[in-house]
Amino acid sequence: MRVSVQSEDFDLADALKGFGKQADTGATVSFTGLVRDDTGTLDHMEIEHYPGMCDAAITEIAEEASARWALTDCLVIHRFGKLRPGDQIMMVATAARHRVEAFEAAEFLMDYLKSRAPFWKKEVTRDGADWVAAKDADEDALNRW
């Protein structure tokens, strides 16, 4: 299992090199989230976090996912700092004996990162800056687990 909270971009191929290569792995799933511009006015997003606390919280939820779905491997990368539309913001990869477990664990991790991971996001547009508020739909997605 690997968790990385980082400012620098990541290369998907490098991140996944050797991932899930255990003999008992039958499926791997990966997801990459990008900064999107819903309004056409986003200049950039600023993502803040508390070092140490953030890593520990994500590691704890990755360990929970690994135990709950008997994962053979797990990878979570989340970026912080100034990100522009189209930039990679995060990725989750899971490996398990069967595809259902790999998919469900990946969805669980994505839902957690979206609604509970200790990041604070500010959208900076040509009209000003606003902190991104939590969405009920994101909380609902996490509650299904």
Side-chain angles (χ1 to χ4, degrees), residues 11-116:
D11 181 277
L12 292 172
D14 285 345
L16 292 172
K17 190 176 282 184
F19 180 81
K21 295 297 183 190
Q22 296 80 351
D24 56 344
T25 296
T28 62
V29 170
S30 66
F31 170 85
T32 305
L34 307 174
V35 176
R36 70 176 174 268
D37 182 2
D38 289 332
T39 63
T41 63
L42 183 67
D43 179 68
H44 67 276
M45 179 178 282
E46 294 176 9
I47 301 175
E48 297 180 8
H49 76 298
Y50 286 112
M53 181 185 101
C54 188
D55 302 63
I58 295 172
T59 297
E60 184 176 322
I61 203 69
E63 288 170 348
E64 180 182 334
S66 293
R68 189 169 173 181
W69 283 278
L71 298 180
T72 58
D73 209 350
C74 181
L75 168 64
V76 179
I77 300 173
H78 202 296
R79 295 180 63 200
F80 63 89
K82 185 175 179 177
L83 302 173
R84 300 207 177 272
D87 285 351
Q88 297 179 130
I89 189 171
M90 57 78 70
M91 81 165 293
V92 166
T94 55
R97 291 181 57 88
H98 303 284
R99 64 187 160 106
V100 171
E101 289 84 2
F103 273 108
E104 287 180 357
E107 283 189 277
F108 170 76
L109 288 165
M110 290 181 288
D111 289 342
Y112 171 82
L113 290 170
K114 184 74 173 172
S115 63
R116 295 275 175 84

Side-chain angles (χ1 to χ4, degrees), residues 122-145:
K122 185 190 316 181
E123 291 183 341
V124 179
T125 69
R126 59 179 165 245
D127 301 321
D130 287 305
W131 291 101
V132 177
K135 296 179 183 169
D136 290 339
D138 294 334
E139 193 63 28
D140 291 345
L142 184 60
N143 286 336
R144 68 187 169 129
W145 302 109

